[in-house]
Amino acid sequence: MLRRARLLTIFSVVSCLLLIGSQPVTAQVDRGGIVGTVSDPTGARVAGAEVTITNLATNQSSKVTTDEAGDFAARLLRIGTYSVTAEKQG
């Protein structure tokens, strides 16, 4: 009888944990990202260009470099309005 009560208690605890764990979890995110491709006026992609991304509200900048395909990605930026410029010598 004691063993049966113990099993019932364990079953109840596990059931409660499963119910609590199955609830959807939602969170607000205050970060985003900017991705793009840098190309010249002829449409050729520019590898190795320095891309500067500036938050217009805070004037904080971050810099990334384009890959061999001219693509870039800036992640974990605070939500806001940004200016994006690119340059490469030559």
Side-chain angles (χ1 to χ4, degrees):
M1 188 67 159
L2 182 60
R3 184 168 189 226
R4 186 175 181 181
R6 189 177 299 165
L7 285 175
L8 186 57
T9 302
I10 292 171
F11 178 75
S12 298
V13 170
V14 170
S15 297
C16 287
L17 290 175
L18 288 174
L19 284 174
I20 291 170
S22 66
Q23 297 301 314
V25 177
T26 58
Q28 295 178 350
V29 178
D30 69 343
R31 303 289 177 155
I34 297 174
V35 296
T37 303
V38 176
S39 59
D40 68 12
T42 67
R45 294 180 174 212
V46 181
E50 185 176 83
V51 179
T52 303
I53 300 148
T54 305
N55 184 317
L56 297 179
T58 64
N59 207 32
Q60 289 183 317
S61 294
S62 61
K63 295 183 180 193
V64 295
T65 304
T66 59
D67 63 14
E68 61 278 348
D71 297 327
F72 70 92
R75 310 255 186 239
L76 299 176
L77 299 172
R78 291 203 175 273
I79 304 300
T81 305
Y82 287 82
S83 166
V84 179
T85 59
E87 65 179 303
K88 182 175 179 181
Q89 293 292 350

